[in-house]
Amino acid sequence: MKHFTHYITRLVGVFAMLMAWNGAAVAASITGQILFGSAAGSTKIEAATVSGNDSQSRKWTIVTAGTTSYTQNGSYSQVGSSKSHATSLTATMSCADDITITSFEVKMGGFTGTAGSIDLSIGGSSVKTGSLNGTSDVTVSVSGLKVSAKGKNLVVSLTGIAKGVKVYYIKYTYSTGIGVDDPTFSLPAGTYTGAQDVALSCETAGAKIFYTTDGSDPTESEDVYEYTGTPIHITTTTVITAYAQTDDDMSSVVAATYNILQDPTNTKETAYTVAEAKDIIDRDYDYDLTKKVYVKGKICQIDSYSGTNKTITYWISEDGTKTDKFEVYSGLGLDGAAFNSIDDIEVGAEVIVYGVIQKYNAIYEFDKNNQLAEYKEPAPMGQCSVSWSVNGTVTGTESQLQGAALTFPANPAMIDGMTFMGWTAATSVDPVGNGIAFVAEGATVPAQAAVTYYAVFAKVSGVVSTDTFDSSDETAGWTKWVGSNYSGTPKFKLDGIGKYVSSPTYTSPINEFSFTFKGNAVSGTSQLSVIATDKDNVQKTIKTYAAEDIPTTATTETIKIASSEYYSIMVEYWKDNGNVAVDDFVVKYGITRSDYTLLVPASLDVTIGSTGFSTLYYSDKNMKVPAGVSAWTYAQSGEGISATESYKEDDVIPAGEAVVLYTTSPATYTFRFAVTAGEKVEGNLLKGTDESQTVTAAAGNALYKLGNGSKGVAFYLASADGSSFTNGAHKAYLEIAESSSARDFFELGVGGNTTGIEASKAATATNEVFDLAGRRIGNAGKGLYIVNGKKVVK
């Protein structure tokens, strides 16, 4: 059953661990390190395979590929060069000891044009990843581990190297103290046909195992189970994540993914999906790839017709898009019949193809002699309704043929300090702008059934700066690795793996990027990518052009960047066949965007008169306090009141909170309605109404309203007896308990006034003394009192 007491158990376990560590000797942390280079004691990398012992006499083996170039330096070994590219480097140490790894680190460096992905793993599980770059040395490290290393390999792998790499050192720390072995799985992770049973075990005596089956971390998830010894039965693709725990310690979290193929017989009725077909090709398990299989999908692209063989070469995917497509090479029609023309099939048709699947030159495909087992014509396109919504109001609706090109309207005007960013079909957006798929003005996309596109707005600050880079004016700070150039425009020739043009790193975020490009005989798996880098030097691909998407004539592409996190940008080409020419790069930067929203809050203008005071109340609107204004609430203080400056500039007065407004510069101020509410003040005596209406005091209470009378600006008794009066729309009033007859007024205690209570009846007496609560004192001792309406010290 689900282990709902897991959090309490875990807390108790952690407390017990702390007590055990406090009372028992735990081995100190030990560091193992292997250095590279020509310094004394270093292990040199000078061949494709090199071995050496680290500082703890453990053997490391280094294997490199793709190069014969090795250079030794004072602090590092250089593997590969611009003329002899390294493609990968793997360092492995096998651990036979019963130790627990607590940290793992590697230092590497690159050269101009170098790329590469760094991965640190223990026992086949990745514990840290990083990226090699060509501008600075990179340290990839992870600490806080508690991974049992006995019988496992510590591995540092570097893949996707474009040129060469500097290798400085590998180090790790470990402990021989108390530890818990990681749980193990009876069935290795992989792809299986039909339901499977997975048993969990742990070599540490007395350890309990906790696990999840949805891929979530069992140390954090509420959907966690305690393993009782009964194998876990899985019938669909499942990720099992587990850890073991004793009273003294806990293991690391480990996971295994099981891809379950639903039907081992693979009939036409149980045809594989495209994803399952690719998985069968990629996975190393017992499957005969010479056996014909059924695969279902939707035609997404038709390439060519062979009049000689009467076949068509086309592509299928799971959803009909060109993402993750699967080639049907030289295919025949239903039951092996010949095709008469390329028009015999249509894009969008649902098909089941029967034949031999394989991977040819990185392309997943059906081999020739495949045939259609089923063909369903694409559904006829119908009419669909398309709407545009601006700030919660639909500004236009039209009927379009489904799949037809849809042109978006012009940008809406700026609304209340917010700027239009683009259109999105999402019904909500992240306030910081992450993950918004914008459609810009004038763009064309296929119409979809009953879709609404919403205008996205954001705050904008800063000044736009523009930087250009082209073949006629190569601006300083830009870098390129392009090989030869064309004589015309576009000039820069990207012809190879990892060829690129890169901008400098700017001090403010990039907002827009444009460039001109043209493909020349580009085909296969070739692709052009636009890659942005954030302030932490983490790269993200923001646009990819597959071979078929690269134009054959010079085309200018403009990319608007929604978020404000990228500070450099690069165009990079990875070649299979053909090359790409690029030129005329323009970067616009310097604008910061924030507060992304589909609904821009409205605002309210409030005039504060010459006294500097006013009141405000809205039951259903949160209001942001403008500059130069403060908002005050009042609480009971004995038989008097006390004032508190509750909301200052940019604070939000929550809906339903009545306040007194104060300013030293009387004027009309704009209060913006906020989406997020502020905090209400507990015990606030102020109340309000949205409409002009009569309000009545509760028994034993009296009502006061703000006025400018004989005592200046104060709360005066609202009526003769304070029992009821007519309050204005969106105005606040004061209701306070009275233990004796109602007082005439209360001073505000704001803007130089004294907070307290006065009774006008005492004003005619020249020798009567009152305390600060307004009570008459017959025999006053030392203290602060009110005499004739003024404070005196006795």
Side-chain angles (χ1 to χ4, degrees), residues 715-751:
F715 279 113
Y716 289 89
L717 202 60
S719 61
D721 59 0
S723 62
S724 66
F725 81 107
T726 300
N727 189 51
H730 304 297
K731 292 296 183 181
Y733 61 93
L734 179 70
E735 181 170 359
I736 186 169
E738 291 285 355
S739 59
S740 58
S741 60
R743 307 298 182 185
D744 288 347
F745 70 94
F746 290 94
E747 292 182 346
L748 295 179
V750 180

Side-chain angles (χ1 to χ4, degrees), residues 311-328:
T311 60
I312 300 177
T313 296
Y314 57 99
W315 299 75
I316 63 175
S317 66
E318 295 193 28
D319 58 2
T321 68
K322 294 180 181 180
T323 303
D324 296 328
K325 60 187 181 180
F326 197 100
E327 185 178 33
V328 182

Side-chain angles (χ1 to χ4, degrees), residues 7 17 53 66 110 163 179 218 389 398 421 462 472 480 654 657 681 726:
Y7 289 116
M17 288 177 222
N53 290 337
K163 287 186 177 180
S389 177
E398 64 180 85
M421 301 303 305
S472 62
K480 61 175 182 173
E657 184 84 293
V681 176
T726 300

Side-chain angles (χ1 to χ4, degrees), residues 363-640:
I363 297 175
Y364 297 93
E365 68 169 15
F366 271 101
D367 197 5
K368 61 183 179 180
N369 298 321
N370 66 82
Q371 63 187 48
L372 283 172
E374 185 174 286
Y375 181 86
K376 292 182 180 180
E377 293 184 356
M381 292 190 298
Q383 293 294 119
C384 60
S385 175
V386 182
S387 301
W388 290 272
S389 177
V390 179
N391 201 28
T393 301
V394 174
T395 58
T397 300
E398 64 180 85
S399 181
Q400 279 281 3
L401 193 64
Q402 188 171 349
L406 177 67
T407 300
F408 282 73
N411 295 350
M414 181 176 70
I415 298 178
D416 196 23
M418 308 290 277
T419 297
F420 172 74
M421 301 303 305
W423 300 94
T424 181
T427 56
S428 62
V429 294
D430 186 326
V432 297
N434 294 330
I436 301 176
F438 288 134
V439 181
E441 175 187 6
T444 57
V445 297
Q448 303 174 38
V451 64
T452 298
Y453 286 96
Y454 300 91
V456 181
F457 297 90
K459 282 186 179 178
V460 174
S461 59
V463 179
V464 174
S465 298
T466 301
D467 192 11
T468 61
F469 179 75
D470 57 41
S471 55
S472 62
D473 180 20
E474 298 190 6
T475 307
W478 287 73
T479 57
K480 61 175 182 173
W481 184 37
V482 299
S484 60
N485 287 333
Y486 284 103
S487 57
T489 300
K491 181 176 181 180
F492 301 131
K493 182 179 181 181
L494 306 182
D495 189 9
I497 296 175
K499 299 292 185 177
Y500 70 89
V501 176
S502 180
S503 79
T505 299
Y506 300 102
T507 57
S508 53
I510 296 174
N511 312 120
E512 184 178 295
F513 176 61
S514 64
F515 65 100
T516 301
F517 69 127
K518 179 180 75 171
N520 300 282
V522 178
S523 61
T525 59
S526 298
Q527 69 175 31
L528 186 74
S529 300
V530 178
I531 302 170
T533 304
D534 67 14
K535 62 183 178 180
D536 296 321
N537 208 32
V538 176
Q539 293 183 336
K540 180 180 180 180
T541 300
I542 59 175
K543 184 87 174 193
T544 298
Y545 304 89
E548 63 269 21
D549 299 325
I550 298 175
T552 56
T553 58
T555 301
T556 298
E557 179 80 345
T558 298
I559 300 172
K560 293 183 181 295
I561 302 175
S563 62
S564 299
E565 57 181 321
Y566 301 117
Y567 293 82
S568 67
I569 200 157
M570 173 175 67
V571 171
E572 183 178 46
Y573 179 64
W574 287 82
K575 177 178 179 177
D576 182 7
N577 296 298
N579 56 75
V580 175
V582 294
D583 212 337
D584 299 329
F585 300 89
V586 179
V587 178
K588 293 184 178 180
Y589 60 95
I591 290 293
T592 299
R593 304 182 180 100
S594 62
D595 294 353
Y596 286 78
T597 182
L598 303 181
L599 296 174
V600 179
S603 60
L604 171 73
D605 287 338
V606 176
T607 298
I608 303 178
S610 59
T611 65
F613 291 94
S614 184
T615 64
L616 185 62
Y617 173 83
Y618 270 83
S619 65
D620 59 350
K621 299 192 182 301
N622 307 305
M623 295 167 289
K624 185 173 287 189
V625 179
V629 177
S630 58
W632 296 70
T633 60
Y634 287 83
Q636 186 94 37
S637 178
E639 292 187 10

Side-chain angles (χ1 to χ4, degrees), residues 629-676:
V629 177
S630 58
W632 296 70
T633 60
Y634 287 83
Q636 186 94 37
S637 178
E639 292 187 10
I641 59 174
S642 61
T644 302
E645 184 181 16
S646 303
Y647 307 100
K648 301 178 182 179
E649 179 183 348
D650 284 336
D651 288 344
V652 174
I653 304 170
E657 184 84 293
V659 295
V660 169
L661 303 178
Y662 172 66
T663 180
T664 57
S665 302
T668 298
Y669 291 88
T670 298
F671 286 72
R672 289 191 62 198
F673 296 151
V675 176
T676 304

Side-chain angles (χ1 to χ4, degrees), residues 52-88:
N53 290 337
D54 64 17
S55 59
Q56 298 300 317
S57 299
R58 291 188 172 86
K59 179 181 177 182
W60 282 85
T61 301
I62 315 296
V63 178
T64 62
T67 186
T68 58
S69 176
Y70 302 94
T71 305
Q72 307 308 317
N73 293 276
S75 59
Y76 62 85
S77 292
Q78 179 178 329
V79 180
S81 65
S82 60
K83 294 183 178 180
S84 179
H85 294 184
T87 57
S88 67

Side-chain angles (χ1 to χ4, degrees), residues 228-460:
T228 60
T230 302
I232 304 166
H233 185 68
I234 54 176
T235 58
T236 60
T237 295
T238 301
V239 180
I240 300 177
T241 310
Y243 77 98
Q245 177 179 310
T246 65
D247 290 340
D248 299 319
D249 206 351
M250 65 175 62
S251 73
S252 56
V253 176
V254 294
T257 300
Y258 300 97
N259 295 297
I260 305 299
L261 301 181
Q262 297 300 317
D263 190 351
T265 60
N266 183 243
T267 63
K268 185 172 72 171
E269 290 71 26
T270 58
Y272 295 134
T273 65
V274 168
E276 289 170 338
K278 288 184 176 182
D279 191 64
I280 288 172
I281 294 171
D282 285 339
R283 294 275 180 173
D284 182 19
Y285 76 106
D286 187 17
Y287 194 93
D288 184 5
L289 286 179
T290 65
K291 176 183 175 181
K292 291 185 177 182
V293 296
Y294 294 92
V295 179
K296 60 185 176 182
K298 186 178 289 187
I299 297 177
C300 62
Q301 178 179 327
I302 302 173
D303 283 354
S304 60
Y305 171 71
S306 171
T308 302
N309 300 320
K310 306 295 183 182
T311 60
I312 300 177
T313 296
Y314 57 99
W315 299 75
I316 63 175
S317 66
E318 295 193 28
D319 58 2
T321 68
K322 294 180 181 180
T323 303
D324 296 328
K325 60 187 181 180
F326 197 100
E327 185 178 33
V328 182
Y329 175 71
S330 193
L332 291 166
L334 287 170
D335 301 322
F339 282 122
N340 296 315
S341 77
I342 198 170
D343 297 326
D344 285 351
I345 60 175
E346 296 180 72
V347 171
E350 296 180 6
V351 298
I352 297 177
V353 185
Y354 182 63
V356 173
I357 58 176
Q358 63 180 13
K359 195 172 185 179
Y360 179 76
N361 286 344
I363 297 175
Y364 297 93
E365 68 169 15
F366 271 101
D367 197 5
K368 61 183 179 180
N369 298 321
N370 66 82
Q371 63 187 48
L372 283 172
E374 185 174 286
Y375 181 86
K376 292 182 180 180
E377 293 184 356
M381 292 190 298
Q383 293 294 119
C384 60
S385 175
V386 182
S387 301
W388 290 272
S389 177
V390 179
N391 201 28
T393 301
V394 174
T395 58
T397 300
E398 64 180 85
S399 181
Q400 279 281 3
L401 193 64
Q402 188 171 349
L406 177 67
T407 300
F408 282 73
N411 295 350
M414 181 176 70
I415 298 178
D416 196 23
M418 308 290 277
T419 297
F420 172 74
M421 301 303 305
W423 300 94
T424 181
T427 56
S428 62
V429 294
D430 186 326
V432 297
N434 294 330
I436 301 176
F438 288 134
V439 181
E441 175 187 6
T444 57
V445 297
Q448 303 174 38
V451 64
T452 298
Y453 286 96
Y454 300 91
V456 181
F457 297 90
K459 282 186 179 178
V460 174

